[in-house]
Amino acid sequence: MRRRTPTTSLALALVATLTTASLAGTASAAPAPAAAPAPAVAALAAPDVSLSNIQAHLTQFNSIATSNGGNRRAGSAGYTASVNYVKGKLQAAGYTVTEQNCSTCTYPGNNLIAEWPQGPSDQVVMFGAHLDGVAAGPGINDNASGSSVLLENALVLAAQNPTMTKRVRFAWWNGEEQGLQGSKHYVNQLSSTQRGYIKGYYNFDMVGSPNGGYFINRITSATAAPLKAYWDSFGISPEENTEGQGRSDDYSFANAGIQTSGYAAGASYTKTSAQASKWGGTAGAAYDGCYHRSCDNTSNINTTILNRAADGVAYTIWALAVGGGTPANDFSVSVSPTSGSVARGGSTTATVSTATTSGSAQTVALSASGAPSGVSVSFSPSSVTSGGSSTMTVSASSTATTGTFTLTVTGTGSATRTASYTITVTGGSGGCTGGQLIGNSSFESGTTPWTASSGVITNSSSQAARTGSYKAWLNGYGSSRTDTLSQSVTLPSGCSSYTFSFWLHIDSAETTSSTAYDKLTVQVGSTTLATYSNLNKATGYTQRTFNLAAYAGQTVTLKWTGVEDSSLQTSFVVDDVTLQVG
């Protein structure tokens, strides 16, 4: 949210004269009365938006600020990186994404507009948040909170892919902190016909304030009705957002005659005793004590308010723009890697990943069939909530049947979904305890036992994983940076093969065909196995394989080191790392 300026009194006067209207655009001479809550079916159909996913976006925005001078101010490298992060995720999800340059902004930069390409194009419901922050800090509550809530809602809408009765458009604005400049530029570029297509604009600015409240813009308008209906369901009695009037991007739309509303949790104003009594928090203190300060980081968030804001956005999207009916709950199951080898007396592991493909998350019980005599399969944990993962351990006894077999991994919930895994059981003679030695080989189970630079192990969709959702993404910042990834392993003696393998995707903005500006070095211990660079860029993943027989009986560290120069990004993306011995 921008600070108040000397023109605030004029801004408030103008807002006070705006007429209210329904989403159909019908004018009214007086403020519209509070509308009845949206039908219950909308609440049932609207999905639960993952708080942990939103927090992952906040962490990424904080990391972007840390890597770019401590802030994401408009016109800065931090702002550009923020645009690229959001854009990459939206494009991967199937949105029509455009960048609109605000040449009239104090710090010229791009608005980011994303439209879900379904529903009538002349019936648009628009949701926006400013993506820029101030120079003083990373700008996490102000306003990575609103930006992240909208981003995750956009991704959920794409994943659910419901029937649309209206078109949904999302926007992330440049230059809000300099006077709502990005949103003004956008609205000014619209024709009168295009403005008429927008049946409502919803703004989200500071929706996770640590001592925050529950505020709604134009709370008694028909436009605000679904936002208010969702919060009313918690009995929290939201109030009008008086602090934010004329201070955020909804004002640009209101000035153009477009009906607006939105959520906010408060900025520098003081929480009253009455508000603290009904909402909790500290009376007499600011809603956000870190407003426009360096302490506005990932610790400066009230997750309860943030979560309720995110789910209220989903409720509103479903109430206004999604066809009736409740989507069926469904999920998917995958295994990575898809094959492995185990010697008699040994064990090997793989990661079983699940995802919610429609409806809401559900409990999925895991099991496996098809194992030969002497081979057992276990899961830790044995059941997950769809979207989670489990480690599958395949163990062979000393008398296990040798050969190659196909295991069927089954997830059981509201439906039954399966994936296949091929296991080769070897004799294990000569003292060899065979198997796959890399822990968490597809990065789906957190960071353990990997050691990596901050942000390297990620589920960012800006670079797709080969399998599952997570991978190791080194570099890709377009600035001087060194990233590392490593894991120590002990190679048993007496095996006939020691095959180290990983899949590598190299994406680069470098155009040279002769100079290696950015490099990835792969080492075992102090020995360099290979070096790759921007000259090796290519679409998709390529498998890289090495023989580590020379290290049998030793504990070694496998390490990837990516070094990027001062301009033009190169991304080194690693996935599905295995060290198979047998």
Side-chain angles (χ1 to χ4, degrees), residues 188-209:
N188 290 340
Q189 296 298 308
L190 297 173
S191 68
S192 59
T193 299
Q194 290 170 328
R195 293 180 187 181
Y197 289 166
I198 302 174
K199 305 308 177 184
Y201 171 79
Y202 292 86
N203 195 68
F204 302 91
D205 190 353
M206 302 180 65
V207 293
S209 305

Side-chain angles (χ1 to χ4, degrees), residues 352 354 362-366 381-390:
V352 178
T354 64
Q362 61 181 291
T363 300
V364 178
L366 300 172
S382 59
S383 65
V384 298
T385 301
S386 55
S389 61
S390 175

Side-chain angles (χ1 to χ4, degrees), residues 27-369:
S28 173
V41 68
L44 293 172
D48 178 43
V49 180
S50 167
L51 175 62
S52 62
N53 287 354
I54 296 170
Q55 290 175 303
H57 299 318
L58 296 177
T59 299
Q60 185 64 29
F61 284 126
N62 197 82
S63 177
I64 286 171
T66 300
S67 300
N68 291 279
N71 68 78
R72 300 181 304 103
R73 191 212 69 194
S76 70
Y79 180 77
T80 300
S82 298
V83 170
N84 290 339
Y85 173 71
V86 176
K87 181 179 180 181
K89 286 191 167 292
L90 294 168
Q91 286 180 323
Y95 277 83
T96 302
V97 184
T98 57
E99 292 189 55
Q100 179 195 52
N101 183 258
C102 179
S103 57
T104 59
C105 289
T106 300
Y107 302 108
N110 292 345
N111 295 324
L112 190 66
I113 313 298
E115 189 159 304
W116 187 238
Q118 294 189 30
S121 59
D122 61 349
Q123 299 285 317
V124 177
V125 186
M126 194 165 180
F127 298 80
H130 73 88
L131 188 55
D132 65 315
V134 296
I140 299 306
N141 186 39
D142 187 17
N143 184 38
S145 64
S147 294
S148 298
V149 160
L150 290 195
L151 175 57
E152 191 57 30
N153 263 279
L155 299 179
V156 168
L157 179 63
Q160 297 278 318
N161 193 21
T163 301
M164 306 300 295
T165 59
K166 285 187 174 65
R167 184 156 295 205
V168 176
R169 183 181 302 161
F170 296 92
W172 289 264
W173 305 117
N174 178 58
E176 189 270 356
E177 298 291 359
Q178 288 72 48
L180 322 181
Q181 294 175 342
S183 56
K184 286 179 184 176
H185 179 79
Y186 174 81
V187 172
N188 290 340
Q189 296 298 308
L190 297 173
S191 68
S192 59
T193 299
Q194 290 170 328
R195 293 180 187 181
Y197 289 166
I198 302 174
K199 305 308 177 184
Y201 171 79
Y202 292 86
N203 195 68
F204 302 91
D205 190 353
M206 302 180 65
V207 293
S209 305
N211 190 40
Y214 294 87
F215 301 105
I216 298 177
N217 304 343
R218 301 175 62 248
I219 192 170
T220 60
S221 68
T223 318
L227 294 178
K228 185 174 184 297
Y230 185 76
W231 275 1
D232 281 347
S233 70
F234 293 96
I236 54 180
S237 302
E239 297 179 1
E240 176 64 44
N241 181 21
T242 56
E243 181 182 16
Q245 289 177 357
R247 295 177 62 186
S248 197
D249 294 296
D250 54 308
Y251 187 53
S252 300
F253 287 81
N255 278 341
I258 296 169
Q259 299 303 303
T260 64
S261 188
Y263 283 146
S268 59
Y269 278 21
T270 299
K271 177 173 280 188
T272 67
S273 297
Q275 290 171 340
S277 177
K278 67 177 179 177
W279 296 333
T282 304
Y287 301 120
D288 183 356
C290 288
Y291 174 57
H292 284 191
R293 297 173 59 195
S294 61
C295 56
D296 186 12
N297 52 37
T298 51
S299 299
N300 192 47
I301 290 290
N302 183 315
T303 56
T304 299
I305 298 176
L306 184 73
N307 191 34
R308 288 174 172 174
D311 289 338
V313 173
Y315 180 95
T316 301
I317 292 172
W318 256 251
L320 299 178
V322 173
T326 304
N329 295 338
D330 204 353
F331 63 95
S332 63
V333 174
S334 62
V335 183
S336 179
T338 57
S339 63
S341 177
V342 59
R344 285 175 169 175
S347 64
T348 188
T349 62
T351 299
V352 178
S353 299
T354 64
T356 303
T357 56
S358 69
S360 301
Q362 61 181 291
T363 300
V364 178
L366 300 172
S367 60
S369 59

